[in-house]
Amino acid sequence: MSLVDSVTKAFVPIHREGWPFIAIALAATLILGWFIEPLFWIGLFLTGWVCYFFRDPQRVTPVQDGLVISPADGIVSQVGPCRPPLELDLGAEPMMRISVFMNVFNCHVNRAPVSGRITRVAYKPGKFINAELDKASEDNERNGLVIEHGDTRIGVVQIAGLVARRIVCFVREGESIAAGERFGLIRFGSRLDIYMPMGTVPKVALGQTMIAGETVLADLTATAGTAQPLTRVN
């Protein structure tokens, strides 16, 4: 491998949604730096952070049937039964929900938790309270998908946070999607909720770090006696 190849592979690709923000930050940096030199260095640092925020690294997704993969980078903030949002039309009964909270330093490209057909895309405007709070699932701006995976329907909801002001969804109803495939992005801090059938036993624990497109959240084919992991904080 040549030196150029090594350097090229060290850089993480930037998602196309980020280029307008990078251009604005760079332009503001050059203009302000022309008049006030210290602002140039501050602006250059902020431009670098915008590039970092919109990074879009490649991920290696497990393809075993029945696996539910994390749709977001971040920390597991909630695990347990909860009624899905009404707009998803998943019924009024509780489902197993796993919430993944993303801070402003996490990669914010969202990926499909399972393969299947998208049967519903539902956007709902709302507030911008702290996405770590449980009531954010009901009160905040959100965009939800329902993916039909065989006989099972999985819901995944993008939820805006304190500084998130834009939810982007790349897919439409009726399209097919593969597990780990990019389906959306949230700008600047937020959370994703994943709804699975009641009785699904999570393979993750509160506080665990998730990698979108790679970390296994649950196995829909697993039995209750084998799916729940023992955990230790070191």
Side-chain angles (χ1 to χ4, degrees):
M1 182 181 293
S2 68
L3 178 61
V4 174
D5 288 337
S6 299
V7 173
T8 301
K9 291 182 181 297
F11 288 96
V12 176
I14 296 173
H15 197 277
R16 64 180 184 276
E17 288 285 335
W19 287 114
F21 292 90
I22 295 170
I24 292 171
L26 184 59
T29 296
L30 294 175
I31 293 171
L32 294 175
W34 179 264
F35 297 101
I36 307 175
E37 184 177 350
L39 291 181
F40 172 79
W41 300 108
I42 295 174
L44 195 62
F45 173 80
L46 293 176
T47 301
W49 179 83
V50 174
C51 293
Y52 176 75
F53 179 86
F54 284 104
R55 67 194 184 280
D56 184 16
Q58 292 184 343
R59 298 289 164 82
V60 180
T61 303
V63 294
Q64 179 181 326
D65 189 49
L67 295 183
V68 181
I69 310 300
S70 178
D73 285 14
I75 300 294
V76 176
S77 60
Q78 296 181 38
V79 178
C82 183
R83 287 185 296 180
L86 294 176
E87 67 268 16
L88 294 186
D89 197 25
L90 288 172
E93 296 300 318
M95 300 180 71
M96 177 55 65
R97 180 186 68 178
I98 297 178
S99 299
V100 180
F101 176 75
M102 299 180 287
N103 62 38
V104 294
F105 298 104
N106 290 127
C107 176
H108 274 56
V109 176
N110 303 143
R111 296 169 180 265
V114 294
S115 299
R117 187 173 67 89
I118 299 168
T119 59
R120 190 165 185 81
V121 178
Y123 169 80
K124 185 172 182 178
K127 301 177 182 178
F128 297 95
I129 61 176
N130 188 344
E132 286 190 285
L133 300 177
D134 189 51
K135 63 181 180 179
S137 293
E138 298 182 1
D139 296 344
N140 279 21
E141 174 187 351
R142 60 183 183 263
N143 183 74
L145 307 180
V146 175
I147 303 174
E148 194 174 77
H149 178 72
D151 296 329
T152 304
R153 292 196 298 168
I154 303 294
V156 55
V157 183
Q158 300 168 286
I159 302 173
L162 277 173
V163 293
R165 287 296 185 272
R166 177 63 172 163
I167 295 175
V168 182
C169 183
F170 310 141
V171 297
R172 298 180 181 179
E173 292 181 5
E175 294 182 354
S176 294
I177 195 167
E181 186 177 343
R182 300 163 181 84
F183 76 84
L185 178 147
I186 314 178
R187 296 173 188 162
F188 309 115
S190 44
R191 158 181 154 192
L192 263 77
D193 286 349
I194 304 91
Y195 292 90
M196 298 167 286
M198 201 61 188
T200 302
V201 182
K203 282 183 169 292
V204 295
L206 286 174
Q208 186 174 342
T209 300
M210 299 290 99
I211 300 176
E214 293 192 357
T215 307
V216 177
L217 296 179
D219 184 350
L220 299 175
T221 65
T223 62
T226 60
Q228 180 63 40
L230 297 175
T231 61
R232 178 185 293 113
V233 178
N234 293 313

